[in-house]
Each structure stands twice: as C-alpha cells, then as structure tokens.
Amino acid sequence: MTDLGQSLIEIEDLTKVFYTDEVETHALSGVHLGIRKGEYVAISGPSGCGKSTLLSILGLLDTPTGGKYLLNGEPVESLDFAARSRIRNREIGFIFQSFNLIGDLTVYENVELPLTYRQRMPSAERKKRVMESLERVSMAHRVRHYPSQLSGGQQQRVAVARALAGHPSILLADEPTGNLDSHNGEAVMELLRDLHREGATICMVTHDPRFVKQAEREIHLFDGKVVAEEELRKLMQETQA
Amino acid sequence: MKGFVHDLRYAMRQLRRSSGFTAIAVLTLMSGIGANTAIFSVVNAVLLKPLPYKDSSRLVVVWQQNPHRGWFENEVSGANFLDWQKQNHVFTGMAAFESLFLNLTGHSPPQEIAGERVSANFFSLLGIKPLRGRLFLPEEESQDRAAAIVSYSLWQQHYGGDPALVGRQIFLNGKSYPLIGILPPGISDDYLGIEAQQSQVWISGIEPFAEGREFHEYHAIARLRPDVTLTQAQAEMNTMAARIEQQYPESRGWGVALVRMHDQVVEYFRPALLLLLGAVGTVLLIACANVANLLLVRGASRRKEFAIRTAVGACRWQIIRQLLVESLLLSLAGGAMGLGFGAWGSQILVRLSPTAQQTTAGAISTPLGLNGLVLLFTFMVAVATAIVFGLAPAMSASKPHLNHALNESGRSFSASLQRRNLRSALVICEFALALSLLLSAALMIKALAHLHRTAIGFNPNNVLSVKIPLEGSQYQDPGRQIEFFRQFLNRIEALPGVESATVSRGVPMNGWAGWNFVTADNSHPAAGDVPDANYVVVAPHYFRTLQVPLRKGRIFTESDSKAAEPVAIVSESLALRYWPGQDPIGKRLKVSSDAKDKTQPWLTVVGVAGNVRTQGQYAPFIPEIYVPYTQYPWVLSPRNVLVRSRGDPLALVPAIQREVAALDKDVPVSALATMDEIVSGPVQQGRTIMWLLGGFAALALLLAAVGIYSVISYAVSQRTHEIGVRIALGADRDAITGLVLRHGISLSLLGVAAGWLGALGIARLFAALPFQIRWLLLFDVRPADPLMFACVSAVLATVAVLACFIPARRAARVDPIRALRYE
C-alpha cells in the first residue's frame, strides 16, 4: 500500500481549544507526533484525554487551534473545507466504533460511497475497487444486503471495506471494536493486522490494552498531551488517588 | 364518551403546548377551508338557492333556435308565441315580455329606468303576489288600457314609500299609466339570466302581433303542468315548431328550445363557479397534505409516548382516536377562522366581479355571507378535512415498534422508512395538485392575453358613452329628434377637449340588433336563408369618434338627409360575403326580408368600413349595415352619444349634462361609461376567474413550497448523522447540497409527472365542455398546450429548488464531528 519508513504524518505543537460560553477547554496541548508509512500506531488514554479530538484532526474532520500538521509533506492545518474534503476522500479511510453505515444504502453502495465523490472515476474502476475491498473483508457475498440485515461484526467488516475502497494513505480507526462482542472484535482486529501486514498504515484509537499491544507503537495521551507509558501510569495513579 | 372527553382534554393540552405547530396547522387549514367557504357561499347563492318564485322548478324559458345559422337562444316571434299559447297542452300558462328603458318623469328630475312590457298573466305565472294593490287584469293586455306595477325599491327610493301611490298615474316616456301595484322586496328579473337589468317598472299591453314571424322580439316564459316533464314539453313544442315551419316559409329552420329557468339563470356562472370550487378543493387537499406531513413529523417525535401508552394497555383504536381528536380540534379551529376568512373573501369576490355582484345582489336575491347552509358546509368540510389529514398519520403513529421505541436513543432507519415514504408521497401529491391548478390559471391568463390582443376594430381609449333617451310626445316627430341631436352634437364638439361626438343606436361590444336584408343582386333568397346584419344607425362623426377605418368610399355627411337618396355604409365582412371580388360601392340593399317590401327603400352603398367586433371579443366579426340617423331617426333607439376627448373622458360629464339640460331639462342622461369599461365588460368574468384562479394557484404553490421545505428540512435533520458520515468519507459542501437538492427535485419531478396526468385530465375536461362555455373560459387557447405544461412545470421545479435550498445549505454546513456523535 505504501513505502515503509517514509513519514506520512508530522504534527508539531498541535493545540485544540474549545470555547463554550466563558469556558476554555484545552483538548490538545502541544502534541508532537509522527507516523511513518506502513506503521501501525495505537493511541490510548483515559476518557476525555483528547484521543478522539486528535483522530478528528488527523482525519481532517476538524482543524487545530494551533500548531503544524503535515500530511504526505503538505501542510493541511489551514485548508478550507473543500480542500480538506478532497484530501480526506483520497488519503484517509475511517473506521468508526458505531460502523456508521448508511441504512438506506446496500452493502455495495456503502462501500462505493467514497468513490462516488471522486470526479471522473470510471464506473468499471469503481466496481472493481468495491468488489476487491469487499472480497478483502470476505463480504462480497452480501453486496445486496442492507446494513440492518447484517450482524455487528459483518457491518464493521463492510465499514473496513469502505475505508479501503478509496486506497487511502492511512486508515484511522476509532475504537473499532467498541460496539462488538469479543469474538467479532477479535475478528476485526485480525483483519486490521492482516491489512497492516499487507502494508497499510493504521492509526487506531482504543482503550483496550489487548488491542493496544497489537500495534507497533503506542502513543499515550493524558490531558491533551502525549506522555510516556510510565508517566501515564503515574498520572493515572495520582488521579485515582 | 368518557374516553372521548379525556382525549379532548389531552388534545387541547397537547396543542396548547405545541403552540408553533398548532399555529402553522391552523393557519394552513384556515386558508384551505376559508377559500372553500368563500366560493361555496357564492355557489350557494348562485347555483343552489331556488329562484324566488312559487314552485320555480316548473318554470321554463322558451327560446327560438336556428341551429343552421348558429342561433340557439333567440327571442321568439309574437305570432309564434300566440300559436304556442293557444295550441300547447304542456303548460299551465305562457307569458311574453320585452325589456325596455323608460323615461320616468313627473315627480322629480327625469330618470331613465329599466323596465319590461309584459303579458297580463306574467306575475301570476311566476307566482308573485303584490305587496300593495293588485296584479294586471286580462283586459289590461291591450295597449290603450295598459297599467304599471313598480318595484319595492322604486317605490321607496323614488316615491319615498308614499302609502297612497297605488291608484295614481305615473309618466313613462311621456305617457300616463295608472299605477296598480307595488311588488314585494327582493323580486327582480332573474328570468333574464345574464341580461338581468334590475327592472324597476313593469307595464302591461304587450299585444304580441300575429304578423311577421321573422321578427323575433319577445322573451317568453312558461310554467310546466305538474304532470308534464321538460322532455315531454320539448317534444310537443318541437311538433308545433315543425308544423309552423311547414305553414310559414319564413319560419324555415326555426325550432323551439325549452330551458329550465334556474338553468337559464345560472348557465353563465355555473362552469366558472364549478371551476373555482374545484380549485379551492385542490387548495384544501394541498393544505391537508401539508398538515398531514406536520402530523407525521410530530408523530415521529411522539413515538415513545405512543409506545408507553401501548405498553400500558392502550389498543390501536384508542391511540388513533386520540390523534383524530387532535386533528379534529385543529380542523375545527381552522374552520372557525376559515369562516371569517370566507365571509371576507366572498365580499372581495363580489367586489371583483360586477356581474356576480349584480346577480347576487339582485336576480339571485340571496345575499352572500354566512347562513345555515354555509355554516353546515364549513363544519362538514372541517370534519372531513380532519379525517383526510389526520387518519394516515394516526394509523402510522398507532403502530409503534415497542422495543425500538422504548429502548432507542434516537434514530431507527427501518422504523422511519414507512413514514418517510408517506411524507414523500404527500409532497408528490401536493405538487401534482398544484401543477393542475397552476395550469388552469396559466391557461386562463393566456386566454385573457389572447383576448386583449384581439383586434376589436375601433379605438375605445378616451371615448365616453352616455344614453340620452328622447321619449314623449314632443319627440314623436322624428324631425325633432334630428334637430335635438344636431344641436346637441354641435354644442358638444364645440366644448374644449372634445375631438368629435356622435350619436348611434347602441354601442359596439354591447350586443347587436340583427335585421334581415336582401341585396339587389340576390333579391329573392330562399326563405330561411335571408341574410342578416347588425343594423347600426349613426351620425356622420361615428367613424371618426370610434376611429373605425373607412376602407372605401365616403362617410355620411349632413347632406344625407331624409330628402336625399337613402345610403348605407357596410362593413368589410358584409361586402366580402355578399359581393366577393366586386366593388361594393354603388351596390344596393334593402333592410327587409322581402325585396318587394314597399315600406323599405333600397339603400345605395356609399362606403365600406372596417370590421367591428359588435358582440364582444369572444365573437367573430359579423356583417354590419350603417345608415345615417338623419334618414332613420325613428330607429335611433337606444340613443347612445359617444364623445372622443383629448383627456379623461369622464371629465366631460358635467358639461354634457349641462348641454342636455340647456336643450331640454326633461331629458335624462344615463348609463355613463367609458368605452374602455364597455370593452372590458365581456372579459370581466374571465378576468375575475383568472385573478381568483391565479390567487388560489399562488396559494397552492406556497403550500406546496412549504410542504417540500418541511419535508426536506425534516429529512435533513433526520439525516444529520448520515451527512456527517458522508463528509467524513470526503463529500464536500457541493456534494451535500446536491444530495439534498436532488432529493427535493426528485420529489417535485415525481409530483410534476403525476401532475401532468392530472393536467391532461383537466385538459380533457375543458375539451369536453360545450363550445360556448369553453370559448368563454379559454377563448382560442388549446387546453392541452404543451408550452403551458412546460412553463408551469418549470415554475414548480424552480419553486421546489428554492424551497429546498435553505435546508440544503443547512445540511452543507453540518459539523461532521457533531453529526457523527448525533443521536
């Protein structure tokens, strides 16, 4: 999928502040982070530490308040909505905790969806990619089914296929097993491991220690900052105390 | 009952709590129900109320008809009337009458009033009893014993309700009549239908003459015997007509047509009123669809409430009943407000249409407004409306998926699918109905545009028309009339601001006086094929005043006197029809059906004038014969003076009144009108219908726009999460805007497609109308006009795009992070 070792994402001194009435909430405070192509990174931390905010910024769903964000060497932190949409469509594949399949669309149409937002992609090419992606997650036999006719595990596999269909530079997974039982959760993680082995770059947010260990690298967040594992443990103990 | 009261209390509380929803629903229903109430109050007054005569369903109007010549409702000949009266076995009685204008003098300033000369049995046939005095006696049928009866309003207004009036003499056209009776209030001349003129006085002495069956001068009415149907009566009259036709060659081609009096009175208004009733019914359906949509949305947000009710034991019917009670309350509130709106609307309607005003205020004799039947109609409409808009949402809401509804924290794709489809179907119906209505309005607008572009043959701008009747013994001598008008026209033309003035028998667009004639080239046409033309008696400046072009020859001059050779000017259409390819100047014609008629001279054609549309814009050009009033002063009645001014013609009225009074203080000036008003008269009904249909179509369009806006808005709110997913997958703002617009446009296009089917049905309906009525409504416009279909569809699609644009923009601005968390 990508050349291993090249830098894909570089983040410097990234901050995100939310303003509600008179309250300022610092969701991220000076985050430095780099992800290389082909890397499998897990972001973990307690609830409210800024994991999802970081993932949203990485996925260009949100813009940082400050700092730099280079994607494939290009600064993307201050792009307008249309440019972010275009890059998101081509470079980023999302896998959500709640699958986020569209109920009115069939499995095929759901997987095809990101490709429909690309100009000038021939329908034959689109079809080929959709079927390849579905075959990759072993869901090609369910193309005409609607999400409501699938189990949770199957829905998440379709969501993975949708993320793969656009041939993105990176897969961003937000608690991909959060809505699954252990069996289905394990199957999805196995799928992600396989994808990584095939060269996919994956950045996963999870709080499940079993799955964190499957990643090549762990990034620990606490109060909007990246901390070392020992420091996180210490801070957690202090907080609990 | 207890359950119903409980539902009622709960419904009131619910509606009070959702004041915004309640207000929108009630206002929507008010517009629909109010429009129906307004139109129904007119329909009730015009179409449904019986005529104010005894057993009026047995009254018929008797016409002569000549289908071969395209005449279907023609006055009857006196001789024929007398034969029918003697020979028929189907009527308990027949009466004849003729309309006329009379100069009322002797009590206060001279006044021209509408009146009728009637058979002695006229009022007894109608079943009218006098308020004071008596009705005519058979011996008063002769002219030398003629008597008069006045209307209640003339008695009140002209004579101040003088209790001793009966028994006195009144002076009409300079002749004295004993006043024998006063009619009760509310009696008017309905039987004349569209020609009702609010007669104020009736005189006896009609004496239908037994000679000259070619002269059709009388109106006739009859009362069917109780054991005889209209068909049977028609059959006998046909037999009699056939016999007369055989006996008298001049009656060749003439038949008899019986029309129920009520049908006669309403025939002009019925198609227009039914069209409007259909239009407001359509508006109401659209309003219902809108409110149903609102209820569906509301039902979706109350799913949990219904699930809880079901969980604690409510059956489906109880939930439906509760929701229907809410619908009924909404509808009754809308109906109550609609009543006020309708009462106000019906008054506007009358003001918009002088013809309707005249009819409803006079002939139909039922005032517009709220009465028992209108109240009942509105109540029934409100109840029916509640069921129409409330039932589907109630059925939908009464079937909750308990597990989903009780446990869900938000969205449920499959559960809402059915409701969404229903909402979409409602919007499609709204657009289909709106298209049908818009198309009808557009066809009427096009028809009126065509009418306005129709060449009428003269220039009506800056022309004043007044009637100056010269009646009485002092004007018995035609020379006095000529002298009066010669002096009068000289005085008027000398006034500052006057370009020219003329006198004429009648004015263009205001009917015609058809007379038979023969030409010297064809002096013995076959009986029944004698040509006829509009016979116009004019002063020399007639053509200049009306700016009717002279195509050939000369206009009349003062030298065309009684002593000079009798002359005529003919219209182009007459010249073309009877002297094709020949020079009409010098040709001779006689205004009689018999070339040997010694009472009528041969007229020499001295000029050819342009065609004038004498019978209004709807009618074709008909042949005209103009003769100088100096040669035919005794035919000059009614006497219309036409004055062309340089500025506002109405500014000349005081001067004209002064000049008339200076010549003869007893001569009244009446029927003041500009020619522009007279020209617009025939299209008045069309214009009124166009405005009303246009208004209802605009209301329908607004409701359809609101309908699609609310559906798309709600869909956007329901699809916020989906929109977030799409943005996460790379959809930009244009793609999201396009997604929402496509949804709205596809609904509207489906509606337009369905509307086309409805519109084709309407086109067929129009096409199936009798020609005269279709011509009156649509003139020469084809009901299935593809261009109109395309234009109206484009308007609807544009409105749909505009209505969807706001929710589409809102969708495009959805924050994906919030949307993905949206529950």
Side-chain angles (χ1 to χ4, degrees), chain A residues 62 88-89 100 104 113 117, chain B residues 420 721 726-727 729 817:
Chain A
D62 203 355
R88 195 162 54 237
N89 180 254
N100 283 338
D104 292 344
L113 196 58
Y117 296 127
Chain B
R420 201 177 68 195
H721 180 83
R726 285 175 184 269
I727 291 172
L729 296 177
I817 299 171

Side-chain angles (χ1 to χ4, degrees), chain A residues 52-53 56 61-62 81-82 85-86 88-89 92 94 96 98 100-105 110 113-114 117 148 162, chain B residues 411 413-414 417 420 719 721-722 724-733 735-736 812 814-817 820-821:
Chain A
S52 293
T53 304
S56 294
L61 287 173
D62 203 355
F81 189 92
S85 297
R86 197 166 50 249
R88 195 162 54 237
N89 180 254
I92 293 160
F94 274 105
F96 301 98
S98 53
N100 283 338
L101 297 177
I102 294 176
D104 292 344
L105 304 182
N110 263 291
L113 196 58
Y117 296 127
S148 58
R162 182 177 66 185
Chain B
R411 62 189 184 275
F413 293 120
S414 53
L417 191 64
R420 201 177 68 195
R719 293 174 76 182
H721 180 83
E722 177 196 326
V725 173
R726 285 175 184 269
I727 291 172
L729 296 177
D732 59 14
R733 289 204 163 114
I736 297 300
V814 161
D815 176 355
I817 299 171
L820 289 170
R821 286 193 208 121

